[in-house]
Amino acid sequence: MARSTLRQLRYFTAVAESGSISAAAERLHVSATAVSTAMSQLERSLRTQLMVRRKSHGVSLTPSGEYLYRRAVRLLEDAEELELSVASGGRVLSGPLLIGCYVTVAPTIVPPLMERYTTEHPGVDLEVVTGTQDEIPVRLLDGELDLAIVYGMDLPAGLSSVLLYETPAYVLLSEFHRLRDREEVALDELVDDPMLLLDAPPSSRNTMVLFERAGLTPWVVRRVTDFELMRSLVARGMGYAIAVQRPAGDLSYEGRPLWTKPITPRVRPVGVHMVWPERVRLTDRAAAMISVATEEAGHRPGAFDG
């Protein structure tokens, strides 16, 4: 490997991911001749064929090429980490960190994490994107994200995780609802009332499972994909809702009062996890975020769930 260069490995991984030398050249903003030459030099230095070139059909990796690709990706990541940290002697973190977060969780958990992390690691370019529970893990496994914050259910295989906190589902009522003064509310007391279902998996599935376990079928009059819209409709007396995330204030977006009630008998809480691909070695920046998130969850009970 001493006769191979990082440039050759970068070109090789680009070819492996793009499927052709011409596509890799376009991605790298260099000529196809430069990429082809680098691939020939790399094969000569390693004394093995890494890819099969097929005219008009791109390239396919040989078993040796597949092995090199897996190792080269990690080596290039290490080289990038070294370049980012060497100027400070490894004492200061710098570089990008992209985190995905389930959209309804983000308003309660992201602000304290961003505030603390950016204070402790100002050199890191932290970015947070939101999406659905179906979308975020896929982007994580595809390498588009470094970490993600999601509910710990219906997750694909291949993810490592750490539990940040657990929170139970509750009933959300308007000031007009007949049960608003009750300390707790049973699901069978609501089954004949109109329900507004937050139709954002896995929230919708979790809600329906609660009723299924109780042998009940709720009367769903409207499905809503936006959390704040659901709360506003409840506050106007258009139905009750089941929710997990709870804002600190019991007012709708319009300023109308809302009543939150525990469900009786008690239901199993839902876990919120930070996850990452189990086969990917975490960067120092990602590891620092996991540390910050677990410390915030452990030292400040209830900080995230209102």
Side-chain angles (χ1 to χ4, degrees), residues 35 37 51 56 61 144 218 240 261 280:
V35 175
T37 300
M51 61 187 68
S56 302
L61 297 184
E144 297 178 24
Y240 73 93
K261 303 295 179 181
V280 173

Side-chain angles (χ1 to χ4, degrees), residues 226-275:
D226 183 86
F227 180 70
E228 287 299 336
L229 174 58
M230 178 195 73
R231 296 177 80 248
S232 292
L233 294 176
V234 170
R236 284 179 171 268
M238 298 181 68
Y240 73 93
I242 303 294
V244 174
Q245 294 302 314
R246 181 178 175 183
D250 288 330
L251 293 175
S252 73
Y253 214 71
E254 300 176 296
R256 295 172 181 264
L258 288 161
W259 269 255
T260 58
K261 303 295 179 181
I263 297 173
T264 185
R266 291 289 188 260
V267 296
R268 183 184 305 169
V270 177
V272 174
H273 295 248
M274 182 165 278
V275 298

Side-chain angles (χ1 to χ4, degrees), residues 173-233:
L173 304 173
S174 73
E175 62 178 323
F176 315 111
H177 199 278
R178 58 189 173 81
L179 300 176
R180 75 167 206 180
D181 294 325
R182 298 281 293 275
E183 291 293 324
E184 299 176 322
V185 174
L187 295 179
D188 60 4
E189 297 178 288
L190 295 166
V191 72
D192 292 327
D193 289 7
M195 183 175 82
L196 302 170
L197 179 66
L198 180 60
D199 196 10
S203 296
S204 52
R205 179 176 178 276
N206 183 59
T207 296
M208 298 307 290
V209 166
L210 293 179
F211 282 90
E212 288 173 9
R213 287 174 177 167
L216 302 169
T217 301
W219 176 27
V220 179
V221 295
R222 195 177 303 276
R223 294 173 179 265
V224 184
T225 58
D226 183 86
F227 180 70
E228 287 299 336
L229 174 58
M230 178 195 73
R231 296 177 80 248
S232 292
L233 294 176

Side-chain angles (χ1 to χ4, degrees), residues 141 157-160 276-281:
L141 290 171
L159 294 176
S160 296
W276 61 94
E278 61 185 19
R279 294 186 178 181
V280 173
R281 187 168 65 180

Side-chain angles (χ1 to χ4, degrees), residues 74-86:
R74 177 170 293 184
L75 180 60
L76 291 171
E77 289 174 348
D78 288 344
E80 182 181 5
E81 286 297 301
L82 179 63
E83 184 178 352
L84 289 169
S85 62
V86 71

